[in-house]
Structures are given as structure tokens and as C-alpha cells.
PDB file of all heavy atoms in Angstrom:
ATOM      1  N   TRP A1335       1.084  -8.594   6.383  1.00 96.00           N
ATOM      2  CA  TRP A1335      -0.295  -8.600   6.822  1.00 96.00           C
ATOM      3  C   TRP A1335      -1.237  -8.899   5.653  1.00 96.00           C
ATOM      4  O   TRP A1335      -0.971  -8.469   4.537  1.00 96.00           O
ATOM      5  CB  TRP A1335      -0.664  -7.264   7.437  1.00 96.00           C
ATOM      6  CG  TRP A1335      -0.066  -7.054   8.781  1.00 96.00           C
ATOM      7  CD1 TRP A1335       1.137  -6.509   9.063  1.00 96.00           C
ATOM      8  CD2 TRP A1335      -0.642  -7.456  10.008  1.00 96.00           C
ATOM      9  NE1 TRP A1335       1.345  -6.510  10.425  1.00 96.00           N
ATOM     10  CE2 TRP A1335       0.270  -7.099  11.030  1.00 96.00           C
ATOM     11  CE3 TRP A1335      -1.828  -8.056  10.373  1.00 96.00           C
ATOM     12  CZ2 TRP A1335       0.014  -7.314  12.369  1.00 96.00           C
ATOM     13  CZ3 TRP A1335      -2.090  -8.301  11.724  1.00 96.00           C
ATOM     14  CH2 TRP A1335      -1.163  -7.893  12.738  1.00 96.00           C
ATOM     15  N   GLN A1336      -2.282  -9.602   5.953  1.00 96.00           N
ATOM     16  CA  GLN A1336      -3.279  -9.931   4.948  1.00 96.00           C
ATOM     17  C   GLN A1336      -4.648  -9.471   5.424  1.00 96.00           C
ATOM     18  O   GLN A1336      -4.995  -9.678   6.592  1.00 96.00           O
ATOM     19  CB  GLN A1336      -3.331 -11.466   4.738  1.00 96.00           C
ATOM     20  CG  GLN A1336      -4.407 -11.958   3.828  1.00 96.00           C
ATOM     21  CD  GLN A1336      -4.357 -13.464   3.734  1.00 96.00           C
ATOM     22  OE1 GLN A1336      -3.289 -14.047   3.629  1.00 96.00           O
ATOM     23  NE2 GLN A1336      -5.518 -14.100   3.790  1.00 96.00           N
ATOM     24  N   ALA A1337      -5.396  -8.815   4.555  1.00 96.00           N
ATOM     25  CA  ALA A1337      -6.788  -8.396   4.880  1.00 96.00           C
ATOM     26  C   ALA A1337      -7.702  -9.069   3.861  1.00 96.00           C
ATOM     27  O   ALA A1337      -7.426  -9.132   2.700  1.00 96.00           O
ATOM     28  CB  ALA A1337      -6.903  -6.870   4.795  1.00 96.00           C
ATOM     29  N   GLU A1338      -8.845  -9.536   4.379  1.00 96.00           N
ATOM     30  CA  GLU A1338      -9.820 -10.273   3.523  1.00 96.00           C
ATOM     31  C   GLU A1338     -11.208  -9.784   3.899  1.00 96.00           C
ATOM     32  O   GLU A1338     -11.583  -9.668   5.039  1.00 96.00           O
ATOM     33  CB  GLU A1338      -9.685 -11.748   3.751  1.00 96.00           C
ATOM     34  CG  GLU A1338     -10.550 -12.571   2.861  1.00 96.00           C
ATOM     35  CD  GLU A1338     -10.301 -14.055   3.040  1.00 96.00           C
ATOM     36  OE1 GLU A1338      -9.272 -14.445   3.639  1.00 96.00           O
ATOM     37  OE2 GLU A1338     -11.156 -14.837   2.601  1.00 96.00           O
ATOM     38  N   LEU A1339     -12.017  -9.542   2.835  1.00 96.00           N
ATOM     39  CA  LEU A1339     -13.421  -9.177   3.010  1.00 96.00           C
ATOM     40  C   LEU A1339     -14.170  -9.740   1.838  1.00 96.00           C
ATOM     41  O   LEU A1339     -13.861  -9.465   0.684  1.00 96.00           O
ATOM     42  CB  LEU A1339     -13.571  -7.625   3.042  1.00 96.00           C
ATOM     43  CG  LEU A1339     -14.973  -7.113   3.310  1.00 96.00           C
ATOM     44  CD1 LEU A1339     -15.516  -7.625   4.629  1.00 96.00           C
ATOM     45  CD2 LEU A1339     -14.946  -5.579   3.298  1.00 96.00           C
ATOM     46  N   GLY A1340     -15.154 -10.597   2.147  1.00 92.00           N
ATOM     47  CA  GLY A1340     -15.847 -11.325   1.090  1.00 92.00           C
ATOM     48  C   GLY A1340     -14.856 -12.221   0.401  1.00 92.00           C
ATOM     49  O   GLY A1340     -14.091 -12.915   1.041  1.00 92.00           O
ATOM     50  N   ASN A1341     -14.831 -12.217  -0.934  1.00 90.00           N
ATOM     51  CA  ASN A1341     -13.866 -13.049  -1.654  1.00 90.00           C
ATOM     52  C   ASN A1341     -12.731 -12.211  -2.201  1.00 90.00           C
ATOM     53  O   ASN A1341     -12.040 -12.609  -3.139  1.00 90.00           O
ATOM     54  CB  ASN A1341     -14.545 -13.851  -2.763  1.00 90.00           C
ATOM     55  CG  ASN A1341     -15.261 -12.966  -3.756  1.00 90.00           C
ATOM     56  OD1 ASN A1341     -15.282 -11.756  -3.607  1.00 90.00           O
ATOM     57  ND2 ASN A1341     -15.862 -13.576  -4.759  1.00 90.00           N
ATOM     58  N   LEU A1342     -12.462 -11.051  -1.566  1.00 93.00           N
ATOM     59  CA  LEU A1342     -11.334 -10.175  -1.966  1.00 93.00           C
ATOM     60  C   LEU A1342     -10.299 -10.254  -0.858  1.00 93.00           C
ATOM     61  O   LEU A1342     -10.580 -10.153   0.316  1.00 93.00           O
ATOM     62  CB  LEU A1342     -11.840  -8.764  -2.128  1.00 93.00           C
ATOM     63  CG  LEU A1342     -10.778  -7.766  -2.567  1.00 93.00           C
ATOM     64  CD1 LEU A1342     -10.235  -8.093  -3.942  1.00 93.00           C
ATOM     65  CD2 LEU A1342     -11.359  -6.375  -2.567  1.00 93.00           C
ATOM     66  N   GLU A1343      -9.047 -10.434  -1.277  1.00 95.00           N
ATOM     67  CA  GLU A1343      -7.931 -10.597  -0.344  1.00 95.00           C
ATOM     68  C   GLU A1343      -6.735  -9.784  -0.843  1.00 95.00           C
ATOM     69  O   GLU A1343      -6.430  -9.826  -2.026  1.00 95.00           O
ATOM     70  CB  GLU A1343      -7.577 -12.063  -0.243  1.00 95.00           C
ATOM     71  CG  GLU A1343      -6.387 -12.373   0.591  1.00 95.00           C
ATOM     72  CD  GLU A1343      -6.057 -13.858   0.459  1.00 95.00           C
ATOM     73  OE1 GLU A1343      -6.940 -14.699   0.794  1.00 95.00           O
ATOM     74  OE2 GLU A1343      -4.937 -14.163   0.080  1.00 95.00           O
ATOM     75  N   VAL A1344      -6.089  -9.084   0.067  1.00 95.00           N
ATOM     76  CA  VAL A1344      -4.840  -8.404  -0.226  1.00 95.00           C
ATOM     77  C   VAL A1344      -3.818  -8.918   0.768  1.00 95.00           C
ATOM     78  O   VAL A1344      -4.149  -9.193   1.927  1.00 95.00           O
ATOM     79  CB  VAL A1344      -4.938  -6.862  -0.187  1.00 95.00           C
ATOM     80  CG1 VAL A1344      -5.879  -6.325  -1.272  1.00 95.00           C
ATOM     81  CG2 VAL A1344      -5.362  -6.358   1.157  1.00 95.00           C
ATOM     82  N   SER A1345      -2.583  -9.077   0.342  1.00 93.00           N
ATOM     83  CA  SER A1345      -1.599  -9.635   1.278  1.00 93.00           C
ATOM     84  C   SER A1345      -0.237  -9.025   1.012  1.00 93.00           C
ATOM     85  O   SER A1345       0.011  -8.403  -0.026  1.00 93.00           O
ATOM     86  CB  SER A1345      -1.537 -11.138   1.158  1.00 93.00           C
ATOM     87  OG  SER A1345      -1.219 -11.526  -0.143  1.00 93.00           O
ATOM     88  N   GLY A1346       0.635  -9.207   1.988  1.00 92.00           N
ATOM     89  CA  GLY A1346       2.003  -8.710   1.891  1.00 92.00           C
ATOM     90  C   GLY A1346       2.248  -7.309   2.372  1.00 92.00           C
ATOM     91  O   GLY A1346       3.297  -6.715   2.185  1.00 92.00           O
ATOM     92  N   ALA A1347       1.252  -6.712   3.056  1.00 95.00           N
ATOM     93  CA  ALA A1347       1.388  -5.347   3.553  1.00 95.00           C
ATOM     94  C   ALA A1347       2.294  -5.304   4.785  1.00 95.00           C
ATOM     95  O   ALA A1347       2.340  -6.247   5.573  1.00 95.00           O
ATOM     96  CB  ALA A1347       0.014  -4.800   3.907  1.00 95.00           C
ATOM     97  N   ALA A1348       3.003  -4.186   4.941  1.00 94.00           N
ATOM     98  CA  ALA A1348       3.958  -4.054   6.051  1.00 94.00           C
ATOM     99  C   ALA A1348       3.260  -3.826   7.377  1.00 94.00           C
ATOM    100  O   ALA A1348       3.811  -4.178   8.438  1.00 94.00           O
ATOM    101  CB  ALA A1348       4.881  -2.909   5.752  1.00 94.00           C
ATOM    102  N   THR A1349       2.042  -3.271   7.374  1.00 94.00           N
ATOM    103  CA  THR A1349       1.343  -2.988   8.613  1.00 94.00           C
ATOM    104  C   THR A1349      -0.137  -3.389   8.421  1.00 94.00           C
ATOM    105  O   THR A1349      -0.635  -3.439   7.299  1.00 94.00           O
ATOM    106  CB  THR A1349       1.384  -1.476   9.016  1.00 94.00           C
ATOM    107  OG1 THR A1349       0.627  -0.743   8.067  1.00 94.00           O
ATOM    108  CG2 THR A1349       2.829  -0.996   9.064  1.00 94.00           C
ATOM    109  N   PRO A1350      -0.866  -3.583   9.524  1.00 95.00           N
ATOM    110  CA  PRO A1350      -2.274  -3.889   9.408  1.00 95.00           C
ATOM    111  C   PRO A1350      -3.052  -2.716   8.770  1.00 95.00           C
ATOM    112  O   PRO A1350      -3.976  -2.941   7.979  1.00 95.00           O
ATOM    113  CB  PRO A1350      -2.749  -4.177  10.825  1.00 95.00           C
ATOM    114  CG  PRO A1350      -1.674  -3.727  11.707  1.00 95.00           C
ATOM    115  CD  PRO A1350      -0.420  -3.637  10.898  1.00 95.00           C
ATOM    116  N   GLN A1351      -2.685  -1.520   9.082  1.00 96.00           N
ATOM    117  CA  GLN A1351      -3.332  -0.339   8.525  1.00 96.00           C
ATOM    118  C   GLN A1351      -3.187  -0.320   7.007  1.00 96.00           C
ATOM    119  O   GLN A1351      -4.140  -0.028   6.289  1.00 96.00           O
ATOM    120  CB  GLN A1351      -2.797   0.940   9.149  1.00 96.00           C
ATOM    121  CG  GLN A1351      -3.475   2.190   8.639  1.00 96.00           C
ATOM    122  CD  GLN A1351      -2.911   3.436   9.269  1.00 96.00           C
ATOM    123  OE1 GLN A1351      -2.089   3.383  10.162  1.00 96.00           O
ATOM    124  NE2 GLN A1351      -3.344   4.582   8.789  1.00 96.00           N
ATOM    125  N   ILE A1352      -1.995  -0.572   6.518  1.00 96.00           N
ATOM    126  CA  ILE A1352      -1.765  -0.575   5.079  1.00 96.00           C
ATOM    127  C   ILE A1352      -2.590  -1.672   4.397  1.00 96.00           C
ATOM    128  O   ILE A1352      -3.177  -1.461   3.348  1.00 96.00           O
ATOM    129  CB  ILE A1352      -0.270  -0.729   4.750  1.00 96.00           C
ATOM    130  CG1 ILE A1352       0.485   0.542   5.172  1.00 96.00           C
ATOM    131  CG2 ILE A1352      -0.053  -1.018   3.264  1.00 96.00           C
ATOM    132  CD1 ILE A1352       1.995   0.399   5.093  1.00 96.00           C
ATOM    133  N   ALA A1353      -2.681  -2.844   5.019  1.00 97.00           N
ATOM    134  CA  ALA A1353      -3.468  -3.936   4.452  1.00 97.00           C
ATOM    135  C   ALA A1353      -4.936  -3.511   4.271  1.00 97.00           C
ATOM    136  O   ALA A1353      -5.561  -3.735   3.268  1.00 97.00           O
ATOM    137  CB  ALA A1353      -3.372  -5.183   5.324  1.00 97.00           C
ATOM    138  N   LEU A1354      -5.478  -2.868   5.313  1.00 97.00           N
ATOM    139  CA  LEU A1354      -6.869  -2.417   5.253  1.00 97.00           C
ATOM    140  C   LEU A1354      -7.043  -1.269   4.259  1.00 97.00           C
ATOM    141  O   LEU A1354      -8.062  -1.217   3.538  1.00 97.00           O
ATOM    142  CB  LEU A1354      -7.305  -1.952   6.654  1.00 97.00           C
ATOM    143  CG  LEU A1354      -7.420  -3.069   7.691  1.00 97.00           C
ATOM    144  CD1 LEU A1354      -7.515  -2.513   9.084  1.00 97.00           C
ATOM    145  CD2 LEU A1354      -8.613  -3.965   7.379  1.00 97.00           C
ATOM    146  N   GLU A1355      -6.077  -0.398   4.146  1.00 97.00           N
ATOM    147  CA  GLU A1355      -6.130   0.683   3.152  1.00 97.00           C
ATOM    148  C   GLU A1355      -6.075   0.132   1.747  1.00 97.00           C
ATOM    149  O   GLU A1355      -6.769   0.628   0.836  1.00 97.00           O
ATOM    150  CB  GLU A1355      -5.036   1.698   3.404  1.00 97.00           C
ATOM    151  CG  GLU A1355      -5.264   2.520   4.623  1.00 97.00           C
ATOM    152  CD  GLU A1355      -4.080   3.373   5.041  1.00 97.00           C
ATOM    153  OE1 GLU A1355      -2.974   3.205   4.465  1.00 97.00           O
ATOM    154  OE2 GLU A1355      -4.252   4.241   5.941  1.00 97.00           O
ATOM    155  N   LEU A1356      -5.295  -0.918   1.517  1.00 96.00           N
ATOM    156  CA  LEU A1356      -5.228  -1.538   0.207  1.00 96.00           C
ATOM    157  C   LEU A1356      -6.586  -2.166  -0.156  1.00 96.00           C
ATOM    158  O   LEU A1356      -7.095  -2.045  -1.277  1.00 96.00           O
ATOM    159  CB  LEU A1356      -4.143  -2.621   0.158  1.00 96.00           C
ATOM    160  CG  LEU A1356      -2.707  -2.126   0.135  1.00 96.00           C
ATOM    161  CD1 LEU A1356      -1.754  -3.290   0.374  1.00 96.00           C
ATOM    162  CD2 LEU A1356      -2.403  -1.465  -1.192  1.00 96.00           C
ATOM    163  N   LEU A1357      -7.176  -2.824   0.823  1.00 96.00           N
ATOM    164  CA  LEU A1357      -8.507  -3.426   0.627  1.00 96.00           C
ATOM    165  C   LEU A1357      -9.527  -2.330   0.275  1.00 96.00           C
ATOM    166  O   LEU A1357     -10.290  -2.482  -0.658  1.00 96.00           O
ATOM    167  CB  LEU A1357      -8.904  -4.166   1.901  1.00 96.00           C
ATOM    168  CG  LEU A1357     -10.100  -5.094   1.823  1.00 96.00           C
ATOM    169  CD1 LEU A1357      -9.815  -6.271   0.900  1.00 96.00           C
ATOM    170  CD2 LEU A1357     -10.432  -5.621   3.200  1.00 96.00           C
ATOM    171  N   ARG A1358      -9.521  -1.254   1.031  1.00 97.00           N
ATOM    172  CA  ARG A1358     -10.389  -0.091   0.750  1.00 97.00           C
ATOM    173  C   ARG A1358     -10.166   0.426  -0.655  1.00 97.00           C
ATOM    174  O   ARG A1358     -11.134   0.626  -1.423  1.00 97.00           O
ATOM    175  CB  ARG A1358     -10.119   1.001   1.757  1.00 97.00           C
ATOM    176  CG  ARG A1358     -10.913   2.292   1.495  1.00 97.00           C
ATOM    177  CD  ARG A1358     -10.237   3.512   2.082  1.00 97.00           C
ATOM    178  NE  ARG A1358      -8.942   3.697   1.421  1.00 97.00           N
ATOM    179  CZ  ARG A1358      -7.960   4.425   1.968  1.00 97.00           C
ATOM    180  NH1 ARG A1358      -8.074   4.950   3.175  1.00 97.00           N
ATOM    181  NH2 ARG A1358      -6.810   4.569   1.337  1.00 97.00           N
ATOM    182  N   ASP A1359      -8.921   0.588  -1.063  1.00 97.00           N
ATOM    183  CA  ASP A1359      -8.645   1.114  -2.367  1.00 97.00           C
ATOM    184  C   ASP A1359      -9.113   0.214  -3.499  1.00 97.00           C
ATOM    185  O   ASP A1359      -9.580   0.700  -4.526  1.00 97.00           O
ATOM    186  CB  ASP A1359      -7.137   1.388  -2.515  1.00 97.00           C
ATOM    187  CG  ASP A1359      -6.661   2.554  -1.645  1.00 97.00           C
ATOM    188  OD1 ASP A1359      -7.512   3.282  -1.133  1.00 97.00           O
ATOM    189  OD2 ASP A1359      -5.425   2.681  -1.496  1.00 97.00           O
ATOM    190  N   VAL A1360      -9.043  -1.078  -3.311  1.00 96.00           N
ATOM    191  CA  VAL A1360      -9.532  -2.000  -4.329  1.00 96.00           C
ATOM    192  C   VAL A1360     -11.040  -1.801  -4.501  1.00 96.00           C
ATOM    193  O   VAL A1360     -11.539  -1.679  -5.615  1.00 96.00           O
ATOM    194  CB  VAL A1360      -9.227  -3.466  -3.976  1.00 96.00           C
ATOM    195  CG1 VAL A1360      -9.987  -4.430  -4.910  1.00 96.00           C
ATOM    196  CG2 VAL A1360      -7.726  -3.720  -4.038  1.00 96.00           C
ATOM    197  N   PHE A1361     -11.800  -1.713  -3.400  1.00 95.00           N
ATOM    198  CA  PHE A1361     -13.236  -1.503  -3.499  1.00 95.00           C
ATOM    199  C   PHE A1361     -13.568  -0.130  -4.106  1.00 95.00           C
ATOM    200  O   PHE A1361     -14.478  -0.005  -4.914  1.00 95.00           O
ATOM    201  CB  PHE A1361     -13.909  -1.694  -2.165  1.00 95.00           C
ATOM    202  CG  PHE A1361     -14.159  -3.135  -1.802  1.00 95.00           C
ATOM    203  CD1 PHE A1361     -13.447  -3.726  -0.795  1.00 95.00           C
ATOM    204  CD2 PHE A1361     -15.080  -3.870  -2.509  1.00 95.00           C
ATOM    205  CE1 PHE A1361     -13.665  -5.062  -0.460  1.00 95.00           C
ATOM    206  CE2 PHE A1361     -15.295  -5.222  -2.199  1.00 95.00           C
ATOM    207  CZ  PHE A1361     -14.613  -5.815  -1.179  1.00 95.00           C
ATOM    208  N   LEU A1362     -12.794   0.912  -3.751  1.00 95.00           N
ATOM    209  CA  LEU A1362     -13.011   2.227  -4.327  1.00 95.00           C
ATOM    210  C   LEU A1362     -12.788   2.188  -5.842  1.00 95.00           C
ATOM    211  O   LEU A1362     -13.540   2.773  -6.613  1.00 95.00           O
ATOM    212  CB  LEU A1362     -12.125   3.257  -3.696  1.00 95.00           C
ATOM    213  CG  LEU A1362     -12.454   3.649  -2.214  1.00 95.00           C
ATOM    214  CD1 LEU A1362     -11.386   4.577  -1.686  1.00 95.00           C
ATOM    215  CD2 LEU A1362     -13.823   4.261  -2.152  1.00 95.00           C
ATOM    216  N   ASN A1363     -11.736   1.497  -6.261  1.00 95.00           N
ATOM    217  CA  ASN A1363     -11.434   1.413  -7.708  1.00 95.00           C
ATOM    218  C   ASN A1363     -12.482   0.585  -8.423  1.00 95.00           C
ATOM    219  O   ASN A1363     -12.869   0.922  -9.579  1.00 95.00           O
ATOM    220  CB  ASN A1363     -10.064   0.811  -7.927  1.00 95.00           C
ATOM    221  CG  ASN A1363      -8.974   1.827  -7.595  1.00 95.00           C
ATOM    222  OD1 ASN A1363      -9.142   3.027  -7.744  1.00 95.00           O
ATOM    223  ND2 ASN A1363      -7.864   1.330  -7.073  1.00 95.00           N
ATOM    224  N   LEU A1364     -13.010  -0.475  -7.814  1.00 92.00           N
ATOM    225  CA  LEU A1364     -14.088  -1.252  -8.427  1.00 92.00           C
ATOM    226  C   LEU A1364     -15.323  -0.388  -8.618  1.00 92.00           C
ATOM    227  O   LEU A1364     -15.971  -0.421  -9.662  1.00 92.00           O
ATOM    228  CB  LEU A1364     -14.433  -2.456  -7.563  1.00 92.00           C
ATOM    229  CG  LEU A1364     -13.425  -3.615  -7.567  1.00 92.00           C
ATOM    230  CD1 LEU A1364     -13.778  -4.612  -6.443  1.00 92.00           C
ATOM    231  CD2 LEU A1364     -13.453  -4.305  -8.904  1.00 92.00           C
ATOM    232  N   THR A1365     -15.662   0.406  -7.606  1.00 91.00           N
ATOM    233  CA  THR A1365     -16.824   1.294  -7.685  1.00 91.00           C
ATOM    234  C   THR A1365     -16.640   2.314  -8.803  1.00 91.00           C
ATOM    235  O   THR A1365     -17.575   2.536  -9.627  1.00 91.00           O
ATOM    236  CB  THR A1365     -17.053   1.985  -6.339  1.00 91.00           C
ATOM    237  OG1 THR A1365     -17.238   0.971  -5.328  1.00 91.00           O
ATOM    238  CG2 THR A1365     -18.282   2.893  -6.376  1.00 91.00           C
ATOM    239  N   ALA A1366     -15.467   2.943  -8.840  1.00 90.00           N
ATOM    240  CA  ALA A1366     -15.209   3.946  -9.883  1.00 90.00           C
ATOM    241  C   ALA A1366     -15.264   3.336 -11.260  1.00 90.00           C
ATOM    242  O   ALA A1366     -15.791   3.941 -12.197  1.00 90.00           O
ATOM    243  CB  ALA A1366     -13.869   4.601  -9.628  1.00 90.00           C
ATOM    244  N   ASN A1367     -14.734   2.127 -11.417  1.00 88.00           N
ATOM    245  CA  ASN A1367     -14.734   1.444 -12.702  1.00 88.00           C
ATOM    246  C   ASN A1367     -16.181   1.157 -13.167  1.00 88.00           C
ATOM    247  O   ASN A1367     -16.506   1.337 -14.300  1.00 88.00           O
ATOM    248  CB  ASN A1367     -13.937   0.164 -12.611  1.00 88.00           C
ATOM    249  CG  ASN A1367     -13.832  -0.532 -13.945  1.00 88.00           C
ATOM    250  OD1 ASN A1367     -13.476   0.068 -14.953  1.00 88.00           O
ATOM    251  ND2 ASN A1367     -14.122  -1.822 -13.999  1.00 88.00           N
ATOM    252  N   GLU A1368     -17.003   0.725 -12.244  1.00 84.00           N
ATOM    253  CA  GLU A1368     -18.407   0.437 -12.605  1.00 84.00           C
ATOM    254  C   GLU A1368     -19.151   1.702 -12.979  1.00 84.00           C
ATOM    255  O   GLU A1368     -19.997   1.685 -13.878  1.00 84.00           O
ATOM    256  CB  GLU A1368     -19.111  -0.270 -11.440  1.00 84.00           C
ATOM    257  CG  GLU A1368     -18.646  -1.682 -11.313  1.00 84.00           C
ATOM    258  CD  GLU A1368     -19.311  -2.403 -10.147  1.00 84.00           C
ATOM    259  OE1 GLU A1368     -20.263  -1.859  -9.558  1.00 84.00           O
ATOM    260  OE2 GLU A1368     -18.856  -3.508  -9.859  1.00 84.00           O
ATOM    261  N   ARG A1369     -18.853   2.798 -12.343  1.00 82.00           N
ATOM    262  CA  ARG A1369     -19.505   4.058 -12.673  1.00 82.00           C
ATOM    263  C   ARG A1369     -19.101   4.529 -14.079  1.00 82.00           C
ATOM    264  O   ARG A1369     -19.821   5.256 -14.713  1.00 82.00           O
ATOM    265  CB  ARG A1369     -19.164   5.136 -11.634  1.00 82.00           C
ATOM    266  CG  ARG A1369     -19.876   4.886 -10.345  1.00 82.00           C
ATOM    267  CD  ARG A1369     -19.602   5.957  -9.344  1.00 82.00           C
ATOM    268  NE  ARG A1369     -20.324   5.657  -8.129  1.00 82.00           N
ATOM    269  CZ  ARG A1369     -19.951   6.098  -6.934  1.00 82.00           C
ATOM    270  NH1 ARG A1369     -18.911   6.878  -6.797  1.00 82.00           N
ATOM    271  NH2 ARG A1369     -20.653   5.798  -5.863  1.00 82.00           N
ATOM    272  N   ARG A1370     -17.903   4.120 -14.506  1.00 81.00           N
ATOM    273  CA  ARG A1370     -17.448   4.490 -15.842  1.00 81.00           C
ATOM    274  C   ARG A1370     -17.942   3.470 -16.917  1.00 81.00           C
ATOM    275  O   ARG A1370     -17.575   3.548 -18.055  1.00 81.00           O
ATOM    276  CB  ARG A1370     -15.918   4.522 -15.894  1.00 81.00           C
ATOM    277  CG  ARG A1370     -15.334   5.734 -15.191  1.00 81.00           C
ATOM    278  CD  ARG A1370     -13.854   5.843 -15.481  1.00 81.00           C
ATOM    279  NE  ARG A1370     -13.127   4.632 -15.193  1.00 81.00           N
ATOM    280  CZ  ARG A1370     -12.381   4.415 -14.089  1.00 81.00           C
ATOM    281  NH1 ARG A1370     -12.300   5.329 -13.167  1.00 81.00           N
ATOM    282  NH2 ARG A1370     -11.745   3.282 -13.919  1.00 81.00           N
TER     283      ARG A1370
END
């Protein structure tokens, strides 16, 4: 499964839920990184 939002894409997930969770985690990590 592949999830895409804006110009961010994650692929290779076993389920659609995992693909969306990976996408969420990338954005959460980006936000945390910027706060640091």
C-alpha cells in the first residue's frame, strides 16, 4: 500500500492502515524536529 499527502509519499506497507500510520508518523517527526 502507498499513501500520499502533498509531496510526501510512503509505500510498501502491508495494510492501508499501516500506510496511513506511517504517513502520520513522518509528519509527527517533522513537527517534533522543527520544535527542536
Side-chain angles (χ1 to χ4, degrees):
W1335 286 91
Q1336 174 181 318
E1338 185 176 343
L1339 184 57
N1341 58 359
L1342 182 64
E1343 175 186 303
V1344 296
S1345 59
T1349 69
Q1351 182 180 354
I1352 291 171
L1354 292 165
E1355 289 171 349
L1356 287 168
L1357 192 66
R1358 176 205 63 203
D1359 290 347
V1360 170
F1361 279 111
L1362 289 174
N1363 286 328
L1364 286 169
T1365 301
N1367 185 50
E1368 287 178 10
R1369 287 183 180 155
R1370 288 190 306 259

